[in-house]
Amino acid sequence: VLKFSKDGKLIGQFGKRGKGQGEFDQPHALAMDSRGRLFVGDRGNNRIQLFDQSGKWLESWVQFSRPSGLWIDRRDNLYVADSESGSIDPSRPEWKRGIRVGSAKDGTLRAFIPDPVETTRNTSAAEGVAVDKNGVIYGAEVGPRALKRYVRQ
């Protein structure tokens, strides 16, 4: 992970390839919460790692599955896109692909939006995720080259 100043000067870096604390395998997404903690979607290690502003490892969360995309809204709701669990990653058949919604404050998991295609050998689910000011969730799907819009009923 590289840290730059506002004018684009490299001011720090941390992490390397691996499975330990502060190590990564396919870091695929970054997001920051209201406390300034950095969330790294460490997809290849099936976890989210949390760091402080200096790059000090704080903790890892595995309850959000295999993160491809991260979004944290102004109320610290955490949205995690998982496009590779289940039939894509047979080592984790119990995990379903989709978007998991929880708390960036304590890591609790509150909701799940399943992938529209339950079983496939290709990526079909949201690999990126964003949420607008009205709480509408958008899933960016790489395989089908689509953007899905999810509205609470």
Side-chain angles (χ1 to χ4, degrees):
V1 175
L2 305 175
K3 184 176 181 178
F4 294 90
S5 67
K6 289 182 182 181
D7 63 355
K9 181 181 175 189
L10 179 64
I11 57 175
Q13 63 185 34
F14 63 92
K16 64 180 183 176
R17 185 173 176 86
K19 296 189 178 300
Q21 294 177 355
E23 297 177 346
F24 306 103
D25 181 5
Q26 298 177 36
H28 212 264
L30 302 171
M32 295 189 86
D33 70 0
S34 66
R35 298 184 343 204
R37 296 180 301 170
L38 176 65
F39 288 59
V40 179
D42 186 11
R43 185 168 79 175
N45 286 320
N46 299 310
R47 65 186 177 187
I48 298 171
Q49 294 196 69
L50 284 69
F51 298 89
D52 69 11
Q53 287 288 308
S54 66
K56 177 184 171 202
W57 181 87
L58 301 172
E59 62 183 308
S60 291
W61 293 349
V62 298
Q63 64 272 32
F64 291 92
S65 190
R66 187 174 174 85
S68 292
L70 300 175
W71 184 271
I72 300 174
D73 70 16
R74 68 182 184 275
R75 289 185 294 240
D76 281 332
N77 293 305
L78 172 62
Y79 302 83
V80 181
D82 173 1
S83 64
E84 293 193 351
S85 284
S87 59
I88 302 295
D89 179 14
S91 69
R92 309 261 326 255
E94 71 280 9
W95 285 97
K96 303 292 183 199
R97 291 171 300 130
I99 298 171
R100 289 171 174 78
V101 182
S103 170
K105 292 178 182 178
D106 61 15
T108 56
L109 185 61
R110 294 192 294 255
F112 177 65
I113 302 168
D115 182 273
V117 180
E118 188 171 322
T119 304
T120 183
R121 292 298 305 148
N122 299 315
T123 298
S124 69
E127 195 153 324
V129 63
V131 181
D132 70 18
K133 66 180 182 177
N134 298 314
V136 177
I137 301 168
Y138 299 88
E141 299 180 343
V142 174
R145 297 180 183 158
L147 179 67
K148 292 277 189 330
R149 184 173 184 259
Y150 299 97
V151 180
R152 188 175 281 194
Q153 301 258 344

